[in-house]
Amino acid sequence: MPRPTDVPSYESLLARTDVPPGSSWGLFGADDEIGTLNFLAPEQRVRAAGLVRSGRTFSLDLPLDAFPQPLIPHRGALQHSVFGLNEFHRDDRIDNLFPQATSQIDGLRHFGHPDHGFYNHADPQRLIAGDPLLGVQRFAEHGIVGRGVLLDVERHLARRGEPIDHADPQPVPAQVLEETAVHQGVDLEPGDILLIRFGWLGHRFAQLRDASNAGDVDATSEAPVPLVSVGLEASHETAAWLWDHRVAVAAADNVALEAWPATASALRVRAELDGTLPASSHTGMLHRILIPMLGLVIGELWQLDELADTCAAEGRYDFMVVATPLKLPGGVGSPANAVAIL
Ligand code: UVW
C-alpha cells in the first residue's frame, strides 16, 4: 500500500495513460474497494484518539425521520412500526428505508463515470443486490475512525462580509476552503475526515417551517420546496484540492456536498457531448469525478451546527470522528452513524 505522501498528485493522475486519466484506479491495488479510505490507517487513528480532551460527543446524524416530505422525491419517507408479542414486549420494523434519505455516506457504487465506468474497473453487471462488490460494507469493515477537521465556510464568509445567499447560492471554490482553514488556523493532514459546514441544513429546515406555516406543504407533497443548495464548485480544481490533501472522507451539511443543482458546472462527459447519453440532473456533477474516478468517500446531510458552535467557542477545529456505516453487503449508501469526540 503506498504511503499517502507517495501517491501521485491530481495533476499526475490527469496524465495517466495506463488507466482512465484523472483516476486513482490501481494505486491502492487492483482489487481495491475502499478508495481514499486507504489514507486512513492505524497511524491516523492513534493520532485522532490523542485529540480527545473533554470526551464531549456530538452526533452528526439527523434523525432518520427528519424529512417527512422527502428531500429527494425518489427517496421516500420511512415507515416505522412498533409491535409486541405480548403486553410486556416491544419490537420494531422499518419499511421504505432509503439509506441516503438523511445523513448519509455514499458508497463507491453510487456513481460511475459515463465515459470510464465504475471505480477501479468494477463490473457494472455485479453492482446489484446480493453481490458485495464495491458495497458500503467495505467501509464498515475498514472502519471510519480518524481525525476530523471542520471547515466552517458559512461562518468564515459571514465574518468577511460575504454571507452565503442560500436563496441564490454561488458554488464554493476550493480557494475558499483553503482560506477558511488558514483563517481557522487548522492544517489538513493526510487521512483527515473533512467536515464542511455551509449552514445549509439550518436554512432548509427554516424554509420548510415557513412553507408549512403558509400551508404550502402537506404530508403527500413530494418536493414541497425546490431543492437548491450551496456546495462545492464542480470543477477539477475542487477534485485536485481534495485529492492533493489526501482527504479520506469529505462530508458536508448540504444535500450533495457539491452545489445543487449542478447547472453552473462546466464539467462535461464525452457520452453526453456525442449524444450517446442523454443529459440529466447528473450532467456536470462533481460526483462523477469524486466517486468513480478518485474513490473518494462522500458524506451528505451531516448535522454540524452544534459542533461548529463549540469549535468556534473553543477555537479548535480538529477532533476525533467515528462513523459506522451499515454492514449491508452491496449497499449503495448508508446512514452515516457518525459522531465527533472532543
Ligand atoms: C443528490 O441526489 C443531490 O445527491 P446524492 O445522490 O449523492 O444524495
Side-chain angles (χ1 to χ4, degrees), residues 11-339:
E11 198 182 344
S12 306
L13 295 188
L14 287 173
R16 291 184 84 184
T17 52
D18 54 331
V19 290
S23 82
S24 66
W25 299 6
L27 291 181
F28 303 114
D31 299 326
D32 178 62
E33 297 182 48
I34 60 170
T36 53
L37 267 197
N38 285 289
F39 293 142
L40 200 38
E43 189 183 326
Q44 280 78 27
R45 298 188 193 115
V46 171
R47 159 109 171 91
L51 294 170
V52 177
R53 292 183 208 156
S54 66
R56 192 166 167 204
T57 55
F58 296 81
S59 167
L60 306 181
D61 282 50
L62 294 168
L64 279 177
D65 61 357
F67 297 106
Q69 288 79 32
L71 203 53
I72 308 272
H74 65 263
R75 294 177 186 149
L78 65 79
Q79 290 148 17
H80 181 209
S81 42
V82 175
F83 59 96
L85 298 181
N86 58 61
E87 65 179 305
F88 297 106
H89 169 258
R90 298 291 182 276
D91 227 320
D92 55 7
R93 165 179 171 151
I94 299 175
D95 291 301
N96 213 39
L97 171 66
F98 288 83
Q100 297 179 64
T102 62
S103 309
Q104 65 181 280
I105 293 177
D106 285 349
L108 295 187
R109 46 163 68 182
H110 183 39
F111 265 67
H113 190 287
D115 298 335
H116 304 300
F118 287 83
Y119 176 68
N120 222 9
H121 301 287
D123 175 359
Q125 304 297 325
R126 292 190 50 198
L127 303 180
I128 53 174
D131 190 317
L133 182 68
L134 227 52
V136 78
Q137 83 286 352
R138 296 289 183 231
F139 299 167
E141 289 161 6
H142 183 81
I144 302 181
V145 177
R147 175 180 183 249
V149 169
L150 176 79
L151 293 184
D152 194 342
V153 170
E154 183 181 59
R155 256 193 183 78
H156 173 63
L157 291 178
R159 209 183 283 123
R160 80 172 195 204
E162 297 167 46
I164 292 170
D165 176 2
H166 286 288
D168 184 21
Q170 296 301 308
V172 172
Q175 188 198 335
V176 171
L177 299 181
E178 192 64 41
E179 287 166 9
T180 306
V182 170
H183 183 86
Q184 293 180 180
V186 67
D187 287 327
L188 260 76
E189 297 173 8
D192 278 348
I193 298 169
L194 174 64
L195 309 181
I196 306 171
R197 180 178 173 275
F198 296 108
W200 185 78
L201 275 180
H203 158 75
R204 182 68 183 178
F205 285 122
Q207 203 180 30
L208 291 174
R209 255 191 323 271
D210 291 348
S212 168
N213 291 341
D216 295 344
V217 180
D218 66 57
T220 56
S221 45
E222 285 213 321
V225 182
L227 194 59
V228 174
S229 164
V230 62
L232 294 181
E233 175 187 88
S235 66
H236 284 287
E237 288 73 21
T238 307
W241 192 90
L242 293 167
W243 176 261
D244 290 340
H245 280 92
R246 308 295 183 250
V247 168
V249 179
D253 66 341
N254 65 352
V255 70
L257 176 67
E258 61 190 283
W260 184 261
T263 39
S265 167
L267 295 175
R268 289 292 173 268
V269 297
R270 201 176 49 236
E272 286 175 347
L273 292 174
D274 68 18
T276 39
L277 180 73
S280 71
S281 59
H282 295 169
T283 299
M285 275 188 87
L286 183 62
H287 269 48
R288 287 175 165 175
I289 294 181
L290 300 186
I291 297 176
M293 303 303 279
L294 297 180
L296 183 75
V297 180
I298 289 179
E300 295 156 343
L301 299 169
W302 288 30
Q303 177 173 247
L304 303 176
D305 289 354
E306 200 190 341
L307 173 68
D309 289 346
T310 302
C311 286
E314 298 185 2
R316 70 174 282 212
Y317 291 87
D318 63 350
F319 35 78
M320 187 177 187
V321 168
V322 178
T324 49
L326 296 179
K327 260 196 177 173
L328 174 64
V332 175
S334 168
N337 296 323
V339 63

